């Protein structure tokens, strides 16, 4: 069975600085998808970034980028130039290639301080 | 594109009552998912549909839970004989490919 682990329950960063959130996963699959979702306080889950395991190039979306290490089964999220609006719970998630369910980690609560 | 909607947003019920939640997916999405999220945890998968077919159910989905998507459009999730442990946020998501888009959730409180 697949598992996703986020070992940092809470993190904080100063506005305009860079922060990295960690995620590791366990699977015997060779092809799969990885995601980072953001859940602001009392608001709905938003997709931040995705990575296809067959792609070696790390995904980037504006200030958000990932460091995907397939052999190490690691998938970290880097947020550059942090903004107050980045304050949220961040969830790492795994999906098999056939689609279907997302398997989520426990989440990292990120606070961006002015 | 109005996004995924869920109704109601909040539900307070007494233990032993039945409740039903509705999810309306993004119109062109053929897959619809239900998750449950308790405070401070990541969402846990409950079940999903492709069109009207229910393709997978989690072991979390006890006999008291049932989900339907009768015409491949909206879906309902019913919980019978609610228990205090059912208190959670129930999230719905939909997709066409592999990116899932979430609704705002229904927060259930069982007293």
């Amino acid at each position: 069975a697949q598992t996703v682990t986020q070992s940092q329950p809470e993190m904080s960063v100063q506005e305009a600085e860079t922060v990295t959130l960690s995620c590791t996963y366990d699977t015997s699959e060779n092809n799969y998808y990885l995601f980072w979702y953001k859940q602001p306080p009392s608001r709905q889950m938003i997709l931040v970034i995705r990575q296809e395991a067959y792609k070696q190039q790390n995904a980037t979306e504006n200030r958000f980028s990932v460091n995907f290490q397939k052999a190490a089964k690691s998938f970290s999220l880097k947020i550059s130039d942090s903004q107050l609006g980045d304050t949220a719970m961040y969830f790492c998630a795994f999906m098999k290639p056939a689609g279907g369910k997302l398997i989520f980690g426990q989440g990292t609560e990120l606070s961006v301080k002015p | 594109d109005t996004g995924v909607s869920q109704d109601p947003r909040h539900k307070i019920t007494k233990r032993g009552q039945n409740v039903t939640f509705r999810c309306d997916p993004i119109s062109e999405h053929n897959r619809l998912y239900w998750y449950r999220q308790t405070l401070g945890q990541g969402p846990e998968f409950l079940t999903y549909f492709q069109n009207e077919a229910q393709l997978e159910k989690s072991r979390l989905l006890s006999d008291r839970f049932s989900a339907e998507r009768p015409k491949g459009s909206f879906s309902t999730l019913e919980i019978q004989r609610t228990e205090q442990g059912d208190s959670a946020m129930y999230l719905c998501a939909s997709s066409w490919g592999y990116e899932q888009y979430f609704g705002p959730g229904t927060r259930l409180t069982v007293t």
Side-chain angles (χ1 to χ4, degrees):
Chain A
Q2 289 77 23
T3 59
V4 177
T5 302
Q6 294 178 248
S7 58
Q8 304 154 313
E10 298 177 355
M11 293 193 72
S12 65
V13 63
Q14 292 295 127
E15 195 175 6
E17 294 189 345
T18 296
V19 64
T20 299
L21 309 184
S22 301
C23 172
T24 59
Y25 58 94
D26 188 24
T27 184
S28 58
E29 304 281 341
N30 188 46
N31 292 320
Y32 46 86
Y33 301 101
L34 295 165
F35 305 87
W36 280 97
Y37 279 87
K38 167 185 176 181
Q39 190 174 40
S42 301
R43 295 181 62 188
Q44 67 196 73
M45 195 89 70
I46 303 165
L47 177 63
V48 174
I49 197 166
R50 71 177 188 276
Q51 175 80 42
E52 295 89 339
Y54 64 85
K55 290 186 177 178
Q56 292 189 340
Q57 186 170 7
N58 289 324
T60 299
E61 289 286 342
N62 301 314
R63 298 183 295 107
F64 299 88
S65 61
V66 299
N67 183 3
F68 173 50
Q69 301 289 328
K70 190 173 183 180
K73 297 180 181 175
S74 170
F75 182 61
S76 61
L77 174 70
K78 184 170 84 171
I79 306 174
S80 304
D81 185 26
S82 297
Q83 300 176 359
L84 296 178
D86 295 334
T87 292
M89 282 290 285
Y90 286 81
F91 292 100
C92 177
F94 171 99
M95 178 191 285
K96 288 184 181 180
K101 63 188 176 188
L102 287 166
I103 299 170
F104 285 88
Q106 306 93 315
T108 296
E109 185 173 7
L110 177 68
S111 296
V112 180
K113 301 187 183 302
Chain B
D1 181 358
T2 57
V4 179
S5 61
Q6 292 187 244
D7 185 68
R9 296 289 305 276
H10 303 274
K11 179 72 177 178
I12 300 174
T13 191
K14 295 189 178 199
R15 188 175 56 186
Q17 298 294 305
N18 299 344
V19 295
T20 300
F21 309 141
R22 177 179 170 127
C23 172
D24 287 88
I26 294 170
S27 58
E28 64 268 25
H29 286 183
N30 62 341
R31 290 186 174 184
L32 186 148
Y33 309 80
W34 286 99
Y35 295 85
R36 181 171 69 185
Q37 186 179 25
T38 52
L39 199 61
Q41 299 296 314
E44 295 175 294
F45 169 77
L46 293 178
T47 188
Y48 92 95
F49 295 83
Q50 180 162 302
N51 300 314
E52 64 273 14
Q54 189 172 19
L55 295 189
E56 187 175 353
K57 291 171 59 173
S58 164
R59 285 172 290 179
L60 291 174
L61 216 64
S62 74
D63 291 344
R64 298 185 296 106
F65 288 70
S66 62
E68 294 182 343
R69 195 183 182 197
K71 297 184 179 179
S73 56
F74 72 92
S75 175
T76 58
L77 177 68
E78 182 184 16
I79 309 174
Q80 296 182 329
R81 304 180 304 281
T82 52
E83 302 172 356
Q84 286 189 320
D86 296 333
S87 294
M89 178 76 83
Y90 290 83
L91 299 172
C92 176
S94 70
S95 73
W96 176 254
Y98 54 83
E99 291 186 2
Q100 295 185 21
Y101 295 86
F102 283 79
T106 294
R107 180 167 295 285
L108 173 66
T109 302
V110 182
T111 61

